[in-house]
Amino acid sequence: MSTLLSVSIALLAGLLMTRLFKPLKLPSVTAYLIAGVLIGPYCLGKLGIGGLGFESMEAVEALGIIADVALGFIAFSIGSEFRLSELKKTGKQATVIGIVQALVATLFVDVALFAVHLIMPDKLSVPQLITLGAIATATAPAATLMVVRQFKAKGPLTKLLLPIVALDDAVGLIVFAVSFGIAKTLVSGQVDIVSIIVNPIVEIICSLGLGALMGWILTQFEKLFNSNTNRLNMTIAFVLATVALSMIKFEAGLVHIGFSSLLVCMMLGTIFCNICPLSDDLMGAADKWTSPVFALFFVISGAELELSVFADWAIVVIGVVYILFRSLGKYTGTFISSKAVGCEPQICKYLGITLLPQAGVALGMCAIAATALPGDGPMIRNITLFAVLIYELIGPLLTKLALQAAGEIKPMSDDVKMRRQTKLEEVRNKSEN
């Protein structure tokens, strides 16, 4: 009962907050996140009134399965951006920009935090700054996709943006594995080539292989049904199954074999959209079905943001440096690489701004660091949490503004406004009668 009530309160709070934020014309993602913060353990949850908010972080974590499912469907949707017909036009550009912007962000954060280390070595160690530099690669696909959908953004920048966000996950895994391996070596004094090189490559190959297999099987199963309703049910079932399978982990000697759920589900969507002739209709229907799941995901994400990180001045200072130089690195890397591959001026100017949001993948990386580096982990986790808090609240708004400035979010036409107004008046008249 308490879990169902929590889900209901979270969804209602998110929806009501979007109404309050509507006059401000802010993205719904921002409204959901703020709703989560308000009903989280650091605000209304502190009152200890059951049903009014999440009383503890454990209560929030109990709904973690919703986050897993939402991220699976988000990755599945982004996979549809890898259609071969589109990749022929933007594949090279997306690959170059995706790799360069991630590496430049890491370089900028490493250099800036090394300067902070020289100033206050007792607050920030070299292993910590190297790990934070790797975490800087990660971009949140969820917030970006939601903004694109809410405002129906269309154009060359949007077509390039979503594949880059998807590629960012693969690049981030490799950079994090290498940097984190170096950080562990500095702490322990032992070089572990398997962790630094072999494990990330194995994870990416296994993830893409599992996703491709599931995409092919899903396409074959869709042929068994003539009803689009049954086909949609099959699609949803396969995404859920793929998320579950991607949680499997095991060891083969020194090699750790695991999967990235984002990469697996992204590959599922990529194969499905390229070989199933009905994929357009089914993915469109799945997007409508997942709307409340996405809303819950962002409200829960807001509730997970730990406001206690503001209590330590060192975390705030290091966090501000991290945010500024990661943002500068993302923008600079995107600007330089997009110019190098011949992108249009508005893409060069605004694409980097849309890559600033950071959340789930970064939190996953810092969780690994917190477990593997007991001494250095808490600081890494707190700085990441501070950055995620800021990025999640302002990132979606910046993405919206960048897409608007690039001309890919069109203002509502007078005809559409008139039709909506007419419908509202009809509904009011019916209710009065």
PDB file of all heavy atoms in Angstrom, residues 209-223:
ATOM      1  N   GLY A 209      26.019  -6.766 -28.430  1.00  0.00           N
ATOM      2  CA  GLY A 209      25.625  -8.091 -28.917  1.00  0.00           C
ATOM      3  C   GLY A 209      24.285  -8.532 -28.364  1.00  0.00           C
ATOM      4  O   GLY A 209      23.427  -9.031 -29.110  1.00  0.00           O
ATOM      5  N   LEU A 210      24.077  -8.350 -27.051  1.00  0.00           N
ATOM      6  CA  LEU A 210      22.801  -8.736 -26.441  1.00  0.00           C
ATOM      7  C   LEU A 210      21.667  -7.897 -27.007  1.00  0.00           C
ATOM      8  O   LEU A 210      20.593  -8.426 -27.326  1.00  0.00           O
ATOM      9  CB  LEU A 210      22.882  -8.555 -24.920  1.00  0.00           C
ATOM     10  CG  LEU A 210      21.589  -8.813 -24.141  1.00  0.00           C
ATOM     11  CD1 LEU A 210      21.108 -10.244 -24.337  1.00  0.00           C
ATOM     12  CD2 LEU A 210      21.794  -8.524 -22.646  1.00  0.00           C
ATOM     13  N   GLY A 211      21.896  -6.587 -27.156  1.00  0.00           N
ATOM     14  CA  GLY A 211      20.859  -5.716 -27.706  1.00  0.00           C
ATOM     15  C   GLY A 211      20.494  -6.083 -29.130  1.00  0.00           C
ATOM     16  O   GLY A 211      19.307  -6.090 -29.501  1.00  0.00           O
ATOM     17  N   ALA A 212      21.503  -6.411 -29.948  1.00  0.00           N
ATOM     18  CA  ALA A 212      21.249  -6.794 -31.338  1.00  0.00           C
ATOM     19  C   ALA A 212      20.445  -8.096 -31.407  1.00  0.00           C
ATOM     20  O   ALA A 212      19.507  -8.229 -32.212  1.00  0.00           O
ATOM     21  CB  ALA A 212      22.572  -6.954 -32.082  1.00  0.00           C
ATOM     22  N   LEU A 213      20.810  -9.057 -30.567  1.00  0.00           N
ATOM     23  CA  LEU A 213      20.085 -10.334 -30.538  1.00  0.00           C
ATOM     24  C   LEU A 213      18.632 -10.126 -30.132  1.00  0.00           C
ATOM     25  O   LEU A 213      17.711 -10.664 -30.773  1.00  0.00           O
ATOM     26  CB  LEU A 213      20.772 -11.290 -29.562  1.00  0.00           C
ATOM     27  CG  LEU A 213      20.082 -12.640 -29.334  1.00  0.00           C
ATOM     28  CD1 LEU A 213      20.034 -13.444 -30.635  1.00  0.00           C
ATOM     29  CD2 LEU A 213      20.785 -13.431 -28.230  1.00  0.00           C
ATOM     30  N   MET A 214      18.404  -9.345 -29.093  1.00  0.00           N
ATOM     31  CA  MET A 214      17.035  -9.095 -28.630  1.00  0.00           C
ATOM     32  C   MET A 214      16.233  -8.328 -29.684  1.00  0.00           C
ATOM     33  O   MET A 214      15.037  -8.558 -29.855  1.00  0.00           O
ATOM     34  CB  MET A 214      17.063  -8.311 -27.314  1.00  0.00           C
ATOM     35  CG  MET A 214      17.643  -9.078 -26.140  1.00  0.00           C
ATOM     36  SD  MET A 214      16.699 -10.560 -25.703  1.00  0.00           S
ATOM     37  CE  MET A 214      15.266  -9.821 -24.917  1.00  0.00           C
ATOM     38  N   GLY A 215      16.884  -7.414 -30.402  1.00  0.00           N
ATOM     39  CA  GLY A 215      16.195  -6.669 -31.456  1.00  0.00           C
ATOM     40  C   GLY A 215      15.750  -7.579 -32.589  1.00  0.00           C
ATOM     41  O   GLY A 215      14.636  -7.433 -33.122  1.00  0.00           O
ATOM     42  N   TRP A 216      16.597  -8.531 -32.948  1.00  0.00           N
ATOM     43  CA  TRP A 216      16.254  -9.480 -34.026  1.00  0.00           C
ATOM     44  C   TRP A 216      15.114 -10.397 -33.577  1.00  0.00           C
ATOM     45  O   TRP A 216      14.160 -10.632 -34.336  1.00  0.00           O
ATOM     46  CB  TRP A 216      17.480 -10.304 -34.400  1.00  0.00           C
ATOM     47  CG  TRP A 216      17.195 -11.285 -35.506  1.00  0.00           C
ATOM     48  CD1 TRP A 216      17.196 -11.039 -36.850  1.00  0.00           C
ATOM     49  CD2 TRP A 216      16.850 -12.677 -35.350  1.00  0.00           C
ATOM     50  NE1 TRP A 216      16.874 -12.174 -37.550  1.00  0.00           N
ATOM     51  CE2 TRP A 216      16.655 -13.203 -36.653  1.00  0.00           C
ATOM     52  CE3 TRP A 216      16.688 -13.517 -34.258  1.00  0.00           C
ATOM     53  CZ2 TRP A 216      16.309 -14.535 -36.873  1.00  0.00           C
ATOM     54  CZ3 TRP A 216      16.350 -14.845 -34.471  1.00  0.00           C
ATOM     55  CH2 TRP A 216      16.164 -15.337 -35.769  1.00  0.00           C
ATOM     56  N   ILE A 217      15.210 -10.908 -32.340  1.00  0.00           N
ATOM     57  CA  ILE A 217      14.156 -11.798 -31.835  1.00  0.00           C
ATOM     58  C   ILE A 217      12.824 -11.057 -31.750  1.00  0.00           C
ATOM     59  O   ILE A 217      11.769 -11.595 -32.109  1.00  0.00           O
ATOM     60  CB  ILE A 217      14.546 -12.363 -30.444  1.00  0.00           C
ATOM     61  CG1 ILE A 217      15.780 -13.260 -30.562  1.00  0.00           C
ATOM     62  CG2 ILE A 217      13.386 -13.155 -29.842  1.00  0.00           C
ATOM     63  CD1 ILE A 217      16.322 -13.735 -29.223  1.00  0.00           C
ATOM     64  N   LEU A 218      12.844  -9.808 -31.277  1.00  0.00           N
ATOM     65  CA  LEU A 218      11.618  -9.014 -31.178  1.00  0.00           C
ATOM     66  C   LEU A 218      10.964  -8.861 -32.553  1.00  0.00           C
ATOM     67  O   LEU A 218       9.734  -9.010 -32.687  1.00  0.00           O
ATOM     68  CB  LEU A 218      11.926  -7.629 -30.597  1.00  0.00           C
ATOM     69  CG  LEU A 218      10.788  -6.595 -30.628  1.00  0.00           C
ATOM     70  CD1 LEU A 218       9.564  -7.104 -29.872  1.00  0.00           C
ATOM     71  CD2 LEU A 218      11.255  -5.264 -30.047  1.00  0.00           C
ATOM     72  N   THR A 219      11.756  -8.583 -33.561  1.00  0.00           N
ATOM     73  CA  THR A 219      11.215  -8.426 -34.919  1.00  0.00           C
ATOM     74  C   THR A 219      10.551  -9.711 -35.399  1.00  0.00           C
ATOM     75  O   THR A 219       9.478  -9.673 -36.024  1.00  0.00           O
ATOM     76  CB  THR A 219      12.333  -8.023 -35.892  1.00  0.00           C
ATOM     77  OG1 THR A 219      12.954  -6.819 -35.425  1.00  0.00           O
ATOM     78  CG2 THR A 219      11.786  -7.788 -37.292  1.00  0.00           C
ATOM     79  N   GLN A 220      11.141 -10.856 -35.098  1.00  0.00           N
ATOM     80  CA  GLN A 220      10.550 -12.138 -35.503  1.00  0.00           C
ATOM     81  C   GLN A 220       9.239 -12.406 -34.761  1.00  0.00           C
ATOM     82  O   GLN A 220       8.267 -12.886 -35.349  1.00  0.00           O
ATOM     83  CB  GLN A 220      11.537 -13.299 -35.248  1.00  0.00           C
ATOM     84  CG  GLN A 220      12.917 -13.128 -35.874  1.00  0.00           C
ATOM     85  CD  GLN A 220      12.856 -12.701 -37.320  1.00  0.00           C
ATOM     86  OE1 GLN A 220      12.164 -13.326 -38.143  1.00  0.00           O
ATOM     87  NE2 GLN A 220      13.577 -11.631 -37.661  1.00  0.00           N
ATOM     88  N   PHE A 221       9.202 -12.050 -33.471  1.00  0.00           N
ATOM     89  CA  PHE A 221       7.991 -12.264 -32.682  1.00  0.00           C
ATOM     90  C   PHE A 221       6.853 -11.356 -33.134  1.00  0.00           C
ATOM     91  O   PHE A 221       5.678 -11.738 -33.062  1.00  0.00           O
ATOM     92  CB  PHE A 221       8.278 -12.030 -31.190  1.00  0.00           C
ATOM     93  CG  PHE A 221       8.768 -13.258 -30.470  1.00  0.00           C
ATOM     94  CD1 PHE A 221       9.869 -13.962 -30.946  1.00  0.00           C
ATOM     95  CD2 PHE A 221       8.145 -13.720 -29.324  1.00  0.00           C
ATOM     96  CE1 PHE A 221      10.337 -15.092 -30.287  1.00  0.00           C
ATOM     97  CE2 PHE A 221       8.593 -14.851 -28.666  1.00  0.00           C
ATOM     98  CZ  PHE A 221       9.693 -15.535 -29.147  1.00  0.00           C
ATOM     99  N   GLU A 222       7.192 -10.136 -33.579  1.00  0.00           N
ATOM    100  CA  GLU A 222       6.151  -9.207 -34.041  1.00  0.00           C
ATOM    101  C   GLU A 222       5.386  -9.780 -35.231  1.00  0.00           C
ATOM    102  O   GLU A 222       4.209  -9.461 -35.445  1.00  0.00           O
ATOM    103  CB  GLU A 222       6.772  -7.854 -34.437  1.00  0.00           C
ATOM    104  CG  GLU A 222       7.479  -7.112 -33.315  1.00  0.00           C
ATOM    105  CD  GLU A 222       6.535  -6.461 -32.326  1.00  0.00           C
ATOM    106  OE1 GLU A 222       5.348  -6.814 -32.302  1.00  0.00           O
ATOM    107  OE2 GLU A 222       7.006  -5.606 -31.552  1.00  0.00           O
ATOM    108  N   LYS A 223       6.021 -10.649 -36.013  1.00  0.00           N
ATOM    109  CA  LYS A 223       5.389 -11.226 -37.198  1.00  0.00           C
ATOM    110  C   LYS A 223       4.269 -12.205 -36.840  1.00  0.00           C
ATOM    111  O   LYS A 223       3.450 -12.558 -37.692  1.00  0.00           O
ATOM    112  CB  LYS A 223       6.435 -11.953 -38.050  1.00  0.00           C
ATOM    113  CG  LYS A 223       7.507 -11.029 -38.627  1.00  0.00           C
ATOM    114  CD  LYS A 223       8.575 -11.821 -39.369  1.00  0.00           C
ATOM    115  CE  LYS A 223       9.684 -10.915 -39.901  1.00  0.00           C
ATOM    116  NZ  LYS A 223      10.765 -11.679 -40.565  1.00  0.00           N
TER     117      LYS A 223
END
